[in-house]
């Protein structure tokens, strides 16, 4: 592209952003093509790229949910991703421990901002221990270098009992606060382990530790409110649940920046459901599946209680693992179409399945290129895309011609 080789979708998008460019390509036959391309602004090229080859993670966290998978699953579920490109594009958290100088240069050149960064602890020794990576660079100087170039961050701290809570959490919040406007938000998320996790090495925070973490969050949030007019640091919904504390009101979360990370997700969805009250059709008695990624799966029950009361429907949560990008990718937006197909193909007992609208692009293609219309023909129930349930159940459109139910 204009004489530069294309490495991935980022090069493609940034280098084709101009309205005129030169594309040189070698076809599978070996034939070389050179195209002088001009296109009106905003007109798509009509070209689909293969899903990117995922950057592998250089860490070996004891709390990694990939290790927390049982044996015998599809091979891709054991991929550990740590990819700054997915961080920028999809809000997937990355540790930035596997960046090469070339990657750092790209982040600055393409202004990949904001990035979503797993900080966990700013003390370099504690962070290296948590990531099980003695090579991990110190995060504060690394973020500061990017900040000088105008890159901004949403950050998270995954809270581990006795390791990065207490005084370490205090230090982490202080250091991130010290980076000023470059850190747009911080979330504190209690670690979630499975029965297969390394429980002898890592433990979920107790209710008392969650309450202590919430106190630290609230103290720093009060300071940020006074200085910046917004809380800046947020406890994940799970932190409140485990601490036995009530969730803050919806207004606390501002733009719900870390909603996909389970921060304010419950309040966001409850708000959207309430806003549509009275506009739902008659879903009484219908059986509706809510498909989502594993990040949101645990928070859904409280939201669906509200929705069931509004609609009279019976809901079932289906939390899907991502077998295209790996189980460490937990956001609903990156789930491949094949995962939905596998989960729904034999579910003749369902009347409707709600799918996350973030999982398809404008052409209704999933990340694995499956067309939603094709999916609709392969599953026995009606499917609808939804950002917040309310949009789909209060007048949403069915995808494809699958026999289904209309309210
Ligand atoms: S938790 Fe994330 S950073 Fe840690 S090993 Fe797993 S994929 Fe890598």
């Amino acid at each position: 592209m204009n004489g530069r080789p294309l490495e991935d979708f980022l090069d493609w998008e940034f280098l084709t952003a101009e309205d005129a460019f030169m594309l040189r390509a070698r076809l599978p036959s070996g034939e070389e093509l050179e195209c002088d391309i001009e296109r009106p602004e905003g007109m798509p090229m009509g070209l689909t790229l293969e899903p990117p080859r995922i950057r592998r993670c250089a860490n070996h966290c004891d709390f990694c949910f990939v290790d927390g998978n049982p044996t015998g699953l599809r091979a891709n579920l054991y991929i550990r991703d740590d990819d700054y490109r997915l961080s920028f594009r999809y809000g997937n958290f990355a540790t930035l421990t596997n960046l090469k100088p070339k990657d750092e240069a790209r982040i600055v050149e393409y202004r990949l901002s904001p990035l979503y960064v797993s900080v966990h602890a700013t003390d370099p020794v504690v962070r290296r221990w948590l990531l099980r990576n003695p090579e991990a660079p110190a995060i504060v100087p690394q973020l500061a270098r990017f900040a000088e170039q105008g890159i901004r961050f949403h950050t998270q701290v995954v809270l581990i009992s006795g390791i990065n809570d207490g005084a370490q959490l205090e230090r982490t919040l202080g250091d991130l606060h010290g980076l000023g406007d470059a850190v747009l938000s911080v979330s504190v998320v209690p670690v979630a382990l499975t029965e297969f996790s390394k429980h002898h090495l890592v433990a979920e925070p107790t209710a008392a530790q969650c309450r202590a973490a919430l106190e630290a969050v609230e103290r720093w949030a009060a300071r940020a409110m006074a200085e910046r007019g917004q809380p800046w640091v947020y406890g994940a919904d799970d932190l409140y649940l485990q601490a036995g504390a009530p969730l803050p009101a919806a207004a606390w979360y501002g733009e719900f920046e870390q909603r996909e990370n389970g921060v304010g997700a419950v309040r966001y969805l409850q708000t959207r459901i309430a806003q549509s009250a009275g506009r739902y059709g008659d879903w009484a008695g219908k059986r509706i599946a809510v498909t989502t990624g594993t990040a949101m799966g645990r928070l859904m029950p409280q939201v669906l209680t509200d929705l069931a009361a509004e609609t009279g429907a019976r809901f079932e949560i289906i939390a899907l693992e991502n077998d295209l990008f790996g189980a460490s990718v937990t956001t609903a937006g990156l789930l491949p179409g094949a995962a939905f197909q596998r989960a729904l193909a034999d579910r003749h007992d369902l009347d409707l399945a709600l799918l996350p609208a973030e999982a398809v692009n404008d052409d209704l293609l999933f990340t694995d290129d499956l067309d939603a219309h094709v999916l609709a023909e392969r599953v026995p129930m009606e499917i609808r895309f939804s950002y917040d349930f309310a949009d789909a159940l209060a007048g949403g459109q069915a995808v494809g011609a699958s026999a289904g139910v209309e309210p």
Side-chain angles (χ1 to χ4, degrees):
M1 184 67 60
N2 288 340
R4 288 177 60 167
L6 292 176
E7 186 179 314
D8 56 23
F9 68 94
L10 280 183
D11 287 331
W12 174 255
E13 287 171 15
F14 282 87
L15 298 175
T16 61
E18 305 292 324
D19 46 15
F21 46 85
M22 182 72 78
L23 173 69
R24 186 186 295 167
R26 186 177 306 117
L27 302 182
S29 62
E31 183 191 347
E32 299 224 345
L33 278 182
E34 194 164 282
C35 311
D36 195 353
I37 296 174
E38 283 183 37
R39 62 169 170 171
E41 195 182 329
M43 178 178 273
M45 285 280 292
L47 184 144
T48 306
L49 300 181
E50 288 183 3
R53 185 190 289 262
I54 295 304
R55 281 295 180 89
R56 300 301 171 97
C57 175
N59 313 311
H60 299 89
C61 309
D62 291 328
F63 54 89
C64 183
F65 28 79
V66 176
D67 292 339
N69 269 333
T71 53
L73 302 179
R74 286 175 298 282
N76 275 0
L77 283 173
Y78 301 102
I79 295 175
R80 288 194 250 228
D81 86 294
D82 196 2
D83 197 319
Y84 67 94
R85 303 166 308 170
L86 300 189
S87 172
F88 166 68
R89 168 53 65 79
Y90 299 106
N92 207 45
F93 279 88
T95 65
L96 310 184
T97 53
N98 57 356
L99 295 186
K100 300 186 172 65
K102 192 176 98 179
D103 301 320
E104 298 199 356
R106 284 183 105 201
I107 288 171
V108 173
E109 181 190 354
Y110 290 160
R111 296 194 64 77
L112 304 185
S113 177
L115 289 175
Y116 288 75
V117 181
S118 284
V119 171
H120 303 329
T122 50
D123 180 325
V125 176
V126 173
R127 187 164 190 260
R128 285 176 195 136
W129 192 94
L130 281 165
L131 299 176
R132 295 284 182 195
N133 182 356
E135 310 289 323
I139 188 73
V140 172
Q142 189 180 30
L143 295 182
R145 279 198 309 279
F146 280 128
E148 276 171 21
Q149 303 292 331
I151 307 298
R152 301 283 178 260
F153 315 97
H154 291 289
T155 61
Q156 72 164 349
V157 172
V158 171
L159 202 67
I160 316 284
S161 172
I163 308 293
N164 61 347
D165 55 350
Q168 283 295 335
L169 178 62
E170 200 62 37
R171 171 175 171 173
T172 299
L173 296 179
D175 287 342
L176 292 176
H177 182 265
L179 287 167
D181 293 345
V183 176
L184 300 172
S185 70
V186 187
S187 60
V188 179
V189 187
V191 71
L193 302 177
T194 76
E195 60 179 303
F196 302 98
S197 300
K198 299 172 184 166
H199 290 269
H200 56 296
L201 295 171
V202 59
E204 292 176 349
T206 62
Q209 288 168 329
C210 289
R211 278 195 293 278
L214 267 186
E215 279 167 23
V217 165
E218 281 163 9
R219 222 174 324 105
W220 280 98
R223 184 168 165 181
M225 273 300 235
E227 293 170 0
R228 306 178 180 216
Q230 46 126 321
W232 176 73
V233 56
Y234 303 88
D237 294 2
D238 248 353
L239 190 68
Y240 286 91
L241 294 183
Q242 292 187 32
L247 291 168
W252 177 255
Y253 297 100
E255 300 294 311
F256 293 93
E257 296 278 11
Q258 292 208 29
R259 168 162 58 96
E260 281 276 306
N261 199 25
V263 179
V266 170
R267 287 294 188 237
Y268 173 80
L269 291 170
Q270 287 174 329
T271 304
R272 298 288 297 132
I273 290 166
Q275 283 169 345
S276 293
R279 292 197 285 120
Y280 295 103
D282 178 16
W283 294 99
K286 299 286 189 247
R287 291 151 306 173
I288 302 176
V290 172
T291 58
T292 185
T294 47
M296 287 293 294
R298 275 176 313 159
L299 299 175
M300 285 297 177
Q302 352 183 17
V303 175
L304 294 182
T305 305
D306 289 19
L307 200 57
E310 286 285 351
T311 60
R314 281 183 289 150
F315 291 91
E316 176 185 339
I317 302 156
I318 302 180
L320 299 172
E321 287 201 318
N322 192 322
D323 57 0
L324 178 65
F325 292 126
S328 60
V329 176
T330 59
T331 59
L334 278 166
L335 282 168
F340 295 100
Q341 185 178 320
R342 256 191 306 277
L344 299 174
D346 297 325
R347 295 298 307 271
H348 297 274
D349 56 323
L350 294 170
D351 297 303
L352 171 70
L354 299 181
L355 275 56
E358 304 89 343
V360 286
N361 65 13
D362 291 346
D363 299 324
L364 292 189
L365 294 175
F366 291 92
T367 48
D368 58 355
D369 249 2
L370 181 64
D371 188 317
H373 299 96
V374 174
L375 175 69
E377 285 165 10
R378 292 179 181 171
V379 297
M381 76 293 291
E382 178 183 326
I383 63 173
R384 293 185 178 196
F385 286 100
S386 164
Y387 285 104
D388 53 29
F389 312 135
D391 51 359
L393 297 179
Q397 289 281 319
V399 176
S402 171
V405 286
E406 288 295 331

